[in-house]
């Protein structure tokens, strides 16, 4: 071999060798630039290096060493460190070096659950104000991408630390951001939020096999089979989409009044994509149809009913934009179309639909798709429309957020043993079913104990948001309209029951719900109440963190006297001494509305329909909008019943 060839070969191999050496020195994604580490706790650091290599870690003058095992894994522990920073974390092994820069030490909280915890700042009631005011580089957020796995994973699928700024905070978990801002003010130290959330997820998906009492090997085998089936479906879907080259998601080219639709497909509306032959598709797609008007109808304007579009939409008529809705998956669309956008004869409708995950498309009931003229006459718009995708992915994640252990394996297990100050949790809507609501108390207790065991922290503070008010349609009522059974109320009761565990607290939110939207937009109040709970439970501050809590009942002369633990006293939201939302039942167990009056630390109930009351309940429905018992500080009382029936 000539010297020139040898030198050329070395020049080609050396970069590859350097890449291999770098790859042999790996850290979890949590140990990346901008990280926040938990103060005042021994700090475990771990990763991978060349088998047998010596690993040295240095942080603000403290040093520790370890030897990588035969599989390349290593771990060590640095001493506890006070709040402060920024610092550098330096890791060396086998002649290679990794530097993690701009590291802060403060309070690290894990925020987990389903969509109400995932819900971003940019889609909330206070979005404009919160985004404009963001600028705290010592408040940071780490978003874990939605991911699932058959078995516990060592590494996260992705994620990076971001400091709060107007450019970043819009995508932060809104509840977690409000919570973190208050902790920053209360503690004066850096705060890091790890956002591990997936909308629509069940509690079982966030538990491991042991917490659920399942056979881990059998469950893994079933999940492998499901993944193989998913891959086959994914391949068929991608083949079907191959005819449509990707188009910029923001493009309005397909909104034009006149358009060649020859390469578009026909799709039945209403129907989710998954049911219409496009399983696994997420992203942006377009729909088009047309309707006829006479000159009088066009001159008067019309209303377009477009069903329930999952998740977001923008609508054009004859190339003119007439309406849009963001994240309204369960909201029927009805857009007024002015005469200036209409013409006598043929009129075209173009709808751009954006789906962020799960089901997508123009859905709802057939009668929710209509054209209404000024006279009130309706014409059906359900039926075949033209359809094509613009910018989509085939994720095959549908339903994985409800598979036992799947999210724990990919989105919780890889975090261990990264030290935490505590956990905030907002989940339960998916489990609020006739079968799942009562079982939730055992599941939730097992999850808390299991996570604490995994982090070897038996009293890790665990705080949660109780379900907000929402007209779920799940209540079972009798002919008089009295609730016989309410899965949402039962699940709230299950959440309250878990307060028996140490170092726990809940934020009651029935007063900040929305009867028509499962995603109430006021996330600030939820974050504030969780922060009050953290200040009390995690930091021992002398603050009232919860509203009145029912403690016992006593029958007295045709009344039922309810006693409460109410550090701030009892009051009625809006004033007065007669709270609403109470019901009484006698020996027959049939409930009737009760008149209530506050007397000191008690609420006295009576009802002409119940001369000898034995049972009481409060706010016992999915949407207890009238319930208004609060503490003197305004924190709401939790829904309860004095006994099960």
């Amino acid at each position: 071999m000539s010297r020139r060839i040898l030198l050329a070969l070395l020049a080609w191999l050396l970069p590859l060798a350097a890449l291999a050496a770098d790859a042999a020195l790996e850290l979890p994604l949590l140990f990346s630039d901008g990280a926040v580490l938990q103060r005042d706790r021994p700090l475990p650091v771990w990763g991978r290096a060349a088998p047998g290599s010596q690993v040295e870690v240095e942080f603000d003058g403290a040093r520790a060493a370890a030897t990588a095992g035969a599989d390349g894994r290593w771990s060590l522990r640095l001493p506890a460190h006070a709040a402060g920073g920024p610092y550098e974390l330096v890791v060396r092994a086998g002649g290679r070096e990794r530097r993690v820069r701009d590291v802060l030490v403060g309070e690290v909280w894990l925020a987990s659950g389903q969509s109400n915890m995932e819900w971003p700042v940019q889609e909330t009631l206070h979005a404009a104000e919160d985004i404009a005011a963001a600028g705290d580089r010592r408040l940071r957020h780490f978003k874990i991408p939605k991911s699932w796995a058959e078995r516990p994973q060592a590494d996260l699928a992705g994620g990076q630390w971001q400091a709060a700024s107007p450019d970043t905070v819009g995508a932060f978990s809104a509840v977690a951001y409000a919570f973190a801002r208050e902790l920053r003010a209360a503690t004066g130290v850096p705060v890091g939020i790890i956002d591990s959330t997936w909308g629509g997820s069940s509690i079982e998906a966030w538990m491991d096999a042991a917490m659920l009492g399942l056979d881990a090997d059998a469950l893994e085998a079933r999940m492998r089979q499901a993944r193989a089936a998913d891959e086959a479906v994914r391949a068929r879907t991608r083949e079907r989409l191959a005819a449509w080259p990707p188009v910029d998601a923001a493009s309005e080219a397909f909104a034009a009044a006149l358009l060649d639709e020859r390469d578009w497909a026909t799709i039945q509306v209403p129907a989710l994509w998954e049911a219409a032959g496009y399983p696994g598709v997420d992203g942006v797609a377009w729909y088009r149809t047309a309707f006829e008007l006479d000159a009088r109808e066009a001159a008067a304007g019309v209303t377009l009913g477009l069903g329930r579009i999952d998740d977001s939409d923008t609508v054009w008529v004859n190339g003119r934009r007439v309406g849009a809705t963001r994240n309204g998956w369960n909201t029927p669309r009805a857009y007024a179309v002015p005469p200036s956008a209409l013409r006598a004869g043929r009129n075209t409708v173009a709808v751009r639909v954006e789906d962020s995950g799960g089901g997508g498309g123009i859905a709802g009931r057939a009668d929710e798709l209509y054209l209404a003229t000024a006279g009130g006459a309706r014409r059906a718009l359900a039926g075949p429309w033209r359809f094509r995708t613009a910018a989509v992915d085939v994720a095959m994640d549908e339903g994985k957020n409800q598979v036992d252990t799947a999210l724990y394996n990919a989105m919780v297990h890889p975090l261990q043993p990264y030290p935490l100050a505590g956990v905030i949790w907002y989940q339960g809507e998916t489990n609020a079913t006739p079968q799942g609501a009562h079982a939730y108390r055992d599941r939730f207790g097992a999850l808390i104990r299991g996570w604490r065991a995994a982090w070897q922290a038996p009293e890790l503070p665990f705080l949660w948001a109780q379900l907000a008010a929402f007209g779920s349609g799940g209540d079972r009522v009798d002919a008089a309209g009295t609730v016989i059974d309410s899965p949402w109320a039962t699940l709230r009761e299950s959440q309250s029951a878990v307060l028996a565990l140490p170092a726990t607290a809940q934020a009651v939110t029935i007063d900040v719900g929305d009867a028509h939207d499962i995603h109430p937009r006021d996330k600030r109040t939820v974050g504030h109440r969780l922060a009050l709970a953290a200040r009390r439970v995690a930091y021992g501050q002398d603050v009232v963190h919860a509203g009145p809590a029912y403690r016992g009942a006593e029958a007295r002369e045709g009344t039922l006297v309810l006693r409460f633990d109410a550090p701030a006293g009892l009051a009625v939201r809006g004033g007065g001494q007669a709270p609403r939302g109470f019901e009484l039942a006698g020996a027959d167990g049939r409930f009737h509305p009760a008149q209530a009056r506050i007397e000191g630390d008690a609420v006295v109930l009576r009802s002409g329909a119940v001369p000898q009351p034995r049972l009481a309940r409060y706010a016992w429905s999915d949407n207890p909008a009238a319930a208004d018992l609060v503490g003197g500080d305004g924190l709401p009382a939790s829904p309860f019943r004095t006994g099960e029936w």
Side-chain angles (χ1 to χ4, degrees):
M1 181 182 296
S2 71
R3 180 179 176 83
R4 174 181 292 180
I5 295 175
L6 179 60
L7 289 173
L9 183 60
L10 287 173
W12 179 70
L13 288 174
L14 284 174
L16 294 181
L19 285 173
D22 280 334
L25 181 55
E26 300 175 2
L27 291 172
L29 289 173
L30 288 169
F31 294 103
S32 57
D33 290 351
V36 182
L37 308 179
Q38 179 57 41
R39 64 170 169 165
D40 303 330
R41 308 268 180 86
L43 176 63
V45 184
W46 68 97
R48 293 189 183 91
S53 62
Q54 280 292 113
V55 181
E56 296 179 351
V57 177
E58 180 180 348
F59 184 70
D60 191 30
R63 293 178 175 81
T67 302
D71 60 356
R73 298 185 182 276
W74 57 268
S75 64
L76 51 79
R77 182 169 291 200
L78 292 167
H81 195 291
Y87 306 105
E88 276 195 344
L89 178 72
V90 184
V91 183
R92 300 182 180 91
R96 309 305 300 176
E97 180 179 274
R98 292 283 302 275
R99 288 183 175 269
V100 182
R101 298 175 171 84
D102 189 25
V103 177
L104 301 178
V105 182
E107 294 293 288
V108 180
W109 284 80
L110 172 59
S112 191
Q114 56 184 110
S115 54
N116 273 310
M117 183 65 85
E118 181 182 13
W119 203 260
V121 171
Q122 64 195 9
E123 300 294 341
T124 65
L125 183 64
H126 304 99
E129 181 182 349
D130 286 345
I131 291 171
D136 185 354
R137 292 199 54 79
R138 298 174 82 78
L139 191 166
R140 299 180 180 182
H141 182 272
F142 186 101
K143 173 63 176 173
I144 299 172
K146 295 175 183 177
S147 42
W148 65 280
E150 293 92 343
R151 63 170 69 92
Q153 300 295 294
D155 302 307
L156 294 170
Q160 63 178 350
W161 286 100
Q162 291 186 309
S165 75
D167 293 331
T168 62
V169 82
F172 287 11
S173 158
V175 168
Y177 179 60
F179 171 82
R181 285 202 307 179
E182 294 210 20
L183 285 197
R184 284 278 293 125
T187 65
V189 305
V191 174
I193 295 291
I194 301 171
D195 177 353
S196 183
T197 53
W198 190 331
S201 55
S202 67
I203 193 171
E204 292 83 2
W206 296 104
M207 303 168 72
D208 71 6
M211 297 175 209
L212 290 165
L214 299 175
D215 182 304
D217 292 337
L219 179 61
E220 181 184 330
R222 290 198 302 272
M223 292 172 72
R224 279 201 308 269
Q225 293 173 355
R227 189 182 285 272
D230 284 348
E231 289 303 322
V233 173
R234 187 202 305 265
R236 290 195 295 271
T237 301
R238 284 180 170 164
E239 182 178 1
R240 189 169 188 185
L241 299 177
W244 299 318
V247 175
D248 182 1
S251 171
E252 299 183 3
F254 297 142
L258 299 176
L259 190 73
D260 184 352
E261 302 171 3
R262 283 177 296 179
D263 65 341
W264 289 46
T266 298
I267 191 170
Q268 283 297 124
V269 174
L272 292 173
W273 297 339
E274 288 74 10
Y278 301 94
V281 170
D282 298 321
V284 175
W286 285 77
Y287 293 75
R288 287 176 65 90
T289 192
F291 58 86
E292 297 283 335
L293 295 175
D294 61 30
R296 180 183 55 82
E297 291 169 332
V302 301
T303 298
L304 277 180
L306 294 177
R308 303 172 190 235
I309 299 178
D310 195 346
D311 296 299
S312 303
D313 63 280
T314 308
V315 180
W316 292 262
V317 173
N318 296 324
R320 176 171 171 178
R321 177 171 166 161
V322 297
T325 301
R326 289 282 303 167
N327 288 318
W329 65 276
N330 199 34
T331 303
R333 308 312 201 256
Y335 298 124
V337 184
S340 57
L342 300 169
R343 61 179 67 132
R346 179 182 173 84
N347 294 263
T348 61
V349 179
V351 183
R352 181 174 63 198
V353 174
E354 181 178 355
D355 173 47
S356 61
I362 300 179
R365 304 190 310 268
D367 63 359
E368 293 176 326
L369 283 107
Y370 59 84
L371 170 74
T373 61
R378 288 193 176 191
R379 304 173 198 168
L381 289 180
W385 288 44
R386 303 296 282 167
F387 173 83
R388 68 151 290 171
T389 58
V392 298
D393 185 28
V394 185
M396 297 309 299
D397 286 334
E398 178 71 14
K400 302 304 185 298
N401 54 355
Q402 296 181 36
V403 173
D404 293 350
T405 78
L407 309 192
Y408 179 89
N409 290 340
M411 300 177 69
V412 176
H413 185 270
L415 304 176
Q416 301 155 16
Y418 202 81
L420 302 174
V423 178
I424 54 174
W425 174 263
Y426 195 161
Q427 190 277 335
E429 295 91 342
T430 294
N431 290 85
T433 65
Q435 298 76 29
H438 193 276
Y440 192 86
R441 66 192 64 197
D442 293 331
R443 289 278 196 260
F444 194 21
L447 179 143
I448 294 172
R449 289 188 292 269
W451 284 24
R452 286 172 167 175
W455 263 275
Q456 299 182 24
E459 293 201 2
L460 180 72
F462 204 107
L463 321 172
W464 60 88
Q466 192 186 64
L467 294 190
F470 171 61
S472 70
D475 285 359
R476 187 162 58 94
V477 300
D478 62 17
T482 301
V483 173
I484 300 171
D485 181 52
S486 173
W488 276 61
T490 302
L491 194 130
R492 293 187 189 108
E493 179 184 62
S494 292
Q495 292 175 308
S496 296
V498 182
L499 291 170
L501 292 177
T504 58
Q506 72 177 352
V508 177
T509 65
I510 57 171
D511 58 330
V512 290
D514 186 327
H516 306 292
D517 193 341
I518 201 170
H519 302 122
R521 298 305 199 262
D522 179 6
K523 301 304 187 192
R524 258 196 204 172
T525 299
V526 182
H528 165 65
R529 292 176 184 171
L530 288 170
L532 287 176
R535 291 172 62 188
R536 180 62 177 244
V537 172
Y539 303 112
Q541 296 182 6
D542 186 16
V543 297
V544 176
H545 71 290
Y550 166 72
R551 287 293 175 258
E554 175 189 357
R556 184 191 302 165
E557 299 176 356
T559 67
L560 200 62
V561 180
L562 308 182
R563 300 288 178 186
F564 291 84
D565 180 3
L570 297 177
V572 176
R573 186 174 61 249
Q577 294 294 306
R580 299 175 300 167
F582 287 92
E583 297 171 282
L584 280 173
D588 62 0
R590 296 183 62 186
F591 279 90
H592 301 269
Q595 294 79 50
R597 186 161 188 84
I598 295 172
E599 295 185 5
D601 65 348
V603 175
V604 180
L605 304 181
R606 68 177 69 247
S607 171
V610 188
Q612 294 183 328
R614 294 191 179 183
L615 297 170
R617 64 186 187 185
Y618 171 70
W620 201 260
S621 69
D622 57 1
N623 181 42
D628 56 7
L629 181 66
V630 298
D633 53 4
L635 292 176
S638 175
F640 67 90
R641 54 184 171 177
T642 61
E644 294 189 33
W645 55 88

